[in-house]
Amino acid sequence: MSNFVIPEPPQAAIPVLAGQGAFPVRRVYCIGRNYAAHAVEMGHDPDREPPFFFQKAPDALDASGRFPYPVMSRDVHHEAELLVALASGGRDIAEADALGHVWGYGLALDMTRRDLQGVAKAAGRPWEVGKSFEHSAPVGPLSPVSEVGHPQDGAITLSVNGEIRQSGDLNQMIWKVPEIIAHLSRYYTLAAGDVILTGTPAGVGPVQRGDVMELRCDPFSPLLVEVV
Ligand code: MN
């Protein structure tokens, strides 16, 4: 019996493919500007600068297939990303050991209140309100490494109402998954339940209520999300 003084909040979790349970989530890390063409479209140099990270609140993960248009924004953008889920963690993880900590992979959207992010950037403030808000991380079911291995290349595309908006290849990541894990583990103690959104290819843009986003990346089943 717990001694919590209020009812315990729900544990954030992502469903596992084919009803094989759920993956409990501790933290959600996201890497910025990890595809050169996206860095350029956002007005930045595509050179290999050290990676940088932000977090979303774990309860922003939403596997319902519905994305409620958020409050306080008129310019919400899609960012299609590969998600990495960790079964274990630690500090100062070597690149060579990094993939051994991965439980599985999935697809996610890093939905962004671009107008609020722009104001924050211009003012030198944190991106928090632009990135971490309720329902801001639509996510598909996870697949374990035993089924999908460690995807390192292959097309990743996002279409809106059937029209392709984002198109890239996982092999275009500036920082690869082992490097991302190694870098992150120098700044944070990683742990089981941590997930990482690995950045988005070029073509980010706005969505409106009624739009249907479809994120595709083999071997995962497509992630369909309706803006409501
Ligand atoms: Mn992103």
Side-chain angles (χ1 to χ4, degrees), residues 10-111:
Q11 167 67 53
I14 305 172
V16 173
L17 195 67
Q20 300 175 71
F23 181 92
V25 175
R26 189 185 79 123
R27 291 182 186 165
V28 180
Y29 294 101
C30 307
I31 184 169
R33 291 174 213 146
N34 199 29
Y35 289 74
H38 172 61
V40 169
E41 77 176 348
M42 299 303 286
H44 298 280
D45 194 314
D47 287 348
R48 192 171 147 109
E49 297 169 341
F52 70 94
F53 301 93
F54 57 91
Q55 290 188 45
K56 287 189 186 244
D59 68 350
L61 293 163
D62 187 336
S64 70
R66 292 161 65 84
F67 172 70
Y69 200 96
V71 296
M72 300 300 286
S73 179
R74 292 179 174 182
D75 191 27
V76 168
H77 283 204
H78 50 76
E79 294 190 0
E81 312 207 358
L82 177 73
L83 179 148
V84 182
L86 300 185
S88 57
R91 293 188 57 200
D92 296 325
I93 296 168
E95 279 176 32
D97 300 329
L99 291 182
H101 294 282
V102 175
W103 183 86
Y105 296 86
L107 301 179
L109 289 165
D110 168 17
M111 298 304 295

Side-chain angles (χ1 to χ4, degrees), residues 143-193:
S143 297
V145 167
S146 58
E147 290 180 17
V148 295
H150 296 284
Q152 291 170 18
D153 52 35
I156 177 168
T157 62
L158 183 120
S159 59
V160 177
N161 305 328
E163 182 181 318
I164 291 191
R165 296 269 189 90
Q166 290 191 257
S167 185
D169 192 295
L170 296 178
N171 66 17
Q172 295 166 343
M173 283 187 199
I174 297 171
W175 296 93
K176 312 301 183 191
V177 172
E179 297 172 315
I180 294 171
I181 292 170
H183 262 277
L184 258 180
S185 74
R186 293 186 201 138
Y187 292 89
Y188 301 97
T189 302
L190 300 180

